[in-house]
Amino acid sequence: MSSSAARVVVVGSFNVDHVWHSPALPRPGETLQGEYRSGPGGKGFNQVVAAARAGAQTAFVCALGDDAGGALARQLADTDGIDLQDLRSGSPTGTAGIYVDDDGRNCIVIGAGANADLSADFVSARAGAIGGARIVLAQLESPVESVLEAMRLARAAGVRTLLNPAPANAECPRELLAVADVVTPNETEFTTLLSRHAHEEVDADSLVALDDARLHRLCRTLLPRGTVVVTLGAAGCFVSHREDKTRGDARDHYRVAAERVEPIDTTGAGDAFNGALAASMARDAEAPFQAHVRYATRYAALSTEREGAAAAMPAQGDMERRFA
Ligand code: ADP
């Protein structure tokens, strides 16, 4: 492996986010005035930017259109030193139309565009980069067979796999969960997976109040062999490991509280968390898992103090200044 080989390979989506802020969300047939901004997004891109700014050598396997959105992705990847491995698609680059009201509620429509063209064959051709990584991180905004291919290639090469099963309405088959070492759902994603795969009906809003033993049992039902990190927004996260006496962590389940911050925009907090978790795991494979979760928790909190998704990801220097 060369010294410049990526330690974290992210397989996922890039979108150009078009965001309108207006006092209320538009109702059917209604026309409103609002403030507009646009910027880079997509769960894959947000997470690879977070991993890169958290200090990891990164590569990003994605599909882009031959258009202004694709050019933006290439330029931004270059700025953050991300090794972009993009399939040039005949489709337009992915987009997201986002309406946000004064209460921070949003409505989102995603045009997957080129993201839907990321093929399993293109991923297979990246077996060298995937096999040379320490961590492969994926989400569910790309075709599921391509995500599965990436995770299987990583597993076959002894590379640790991290799956962020987002968004909640995406297909996430059992065979994909089975090749993930770590799965990181938020509350909605966790309860959706429980309903689909374990026939357990749990209300996402009441999850944070469940007792730890019950949460641990639910995590074990979903992922008997791997680690589950359920992110709980401002309440932090819950971690559940398979019982393993050889691991550095003393306990097989625990909570990590969120950092106290004054959030401006929590969009992309989960992406910040996942990218930072991957970077930390790649940096020090021997450290106890809890240390990686603490780092990701701090990183995600800091990302909420700035507006935007990829653009809001803190640099290592920001982390050192804030949490010295
Ligand atoms: P998602 O963005 O995927 O819904 P969460 O909202 O669960 O994910 O956030 C992911 C992580 O970001 C949390 O586990 C927490 O560490 C951090 N976080 C989210 N919201 C806040 C907040 N208001 N204050 C501090 N940390 C936060």
Side-chain angles (χ1 to χ4, degrees):
M1 192 169 66
S2 80
S3 59
S4 64
R7 304 292 200 210
V8 175
V9 173
V10 178
V11 178
S13 57
F14 174 85
N15 291 329
V16 178
D17 288 349
H18 298 276
V19 187
W20 289 265
H21 277 267
S22 51
L25 297 174
R27 287 173 305 187
E30 194 176 25
T31 301
L32 300 173
Q33 298 291 322
E35 271 179 40
Y36 171 80
R37 68 176 167 84
S38 77
K43 291 182 188 298
F45 189 70
N46 295 342
Q47 294 183 18
V48 75
V49 168
R53 294 193 188 164
Q57 193 88 39
T58 55
F60 183 40
V61 179
C62 64
L64 302 170
D66 195 7
D67 52 17
L72 175 69
R74 291 181 190 102
Q75 178 218 319
L76 294 173
D78 197 42
T79 307
D80 272 305
I82 297 162
D83 172 13
L84 190 64
Q85 309 218 357
D86 59 312
L87 177 152
R88 294 277 170 109
S89 160
S91 309
T93 297
T95 49
I98 306 173
Y99 297 122
V100 185
D101 73 9
D102 278 352
D103 294 328
R105 291 179 303 182
N106 60 39
C107 295
I108 303 177
V109 178
I110 289 186
N115 292 310
D117 298 335
L118 183 66
S119 64
D121 282 351
F122 185 80
V123 172
S124 294
R126 264 86 224 144
I130 289 172
R134 289 201 175 148
I135 304 287
V136 168
L137 166 61
Q139 322 73 31
L140 303 174
E141 283 186 338
S142 305
V144 71
E145 64 276 11
S146 306
V147 173
L148 192 54
E149 178 66 11
M151 304 296 256
R152 282 186 175 148
L153 287 169
R155 267 289 175 93
V159 176
R160 294 186 82 187
T161 53
L162 188 47
L163 176 69
N164 176 224
N169 59 4
E171 193 191 343
C172 184
R174 260 210 178 278
E175 52 186 330
L176 181 56
L177 290 173
V179 288
D181 294 312
V182 181
V183 178
T184 56
N186 69 10
E187 290 149 298
T188 315
E189 291 145 10
F190 184 59
T191 51
T192 304
L193 289 173
L194 282 175
S195 170
R196 278 196 214 150
H197 294 305
H199 307 291
E200 289 274 2
E201 302 304 326
V202 183
D203 175 19
D205 293 332
S206 64
L207 200 65
V208 65
L210 287 189
D211 73 73
D212 289 12
R214 170 105 201 275
L215 263 175
H216 183 50
R217 271 198 306 280
L218 290 170
C219 292
R220 293 301 88 220
T221 310
L222 193 63
L223 208 73
R225 288 199 289 273
T227 293
V228 181
V229 182
V230 185
T231 64
L232 302 164
C237 67
F238 179 82
V239 180
S240 163
H241 297 291
R242 169 178 80 130
E243 194 182 338
D244 178 357
K245 300 291 179 231
T246 61
R247 215 191 30 249
D249 289 7
R251 291 170 295 154
D252 59 11
H253 63 273
Y254 50 88
R255 287 182 194 244
V256 174
E259 287 292 333
R260 280 174 181 273
V261 287
E262 294 194 6
I264 291 174
D265 180 5
T266 59
T267 318
D271 293 335
F273 185 93
N274 279 282
L277 184 64
S280 181
M281 288 170 69
R283 186 157 38 231
D284 184 0
E286 302 306 317
F289 191 76
Q290 193 167 350
H292 304 312
V293 175
R294 289 195 185 286
Y295 180 81
T297 297
R298 289 180 161 188
Y299 190 93
L302 200 49
S303 80
T304 70
E305 291 188 334
R306 301 176 193 177
E307 209 170 322
M313 298 304 171
Q316 251 181 322
D318 301 328
M319 283 286 282
E320 283 155 16
R321 273 191 294 281
R322 187 67 148 72
F323 299 110

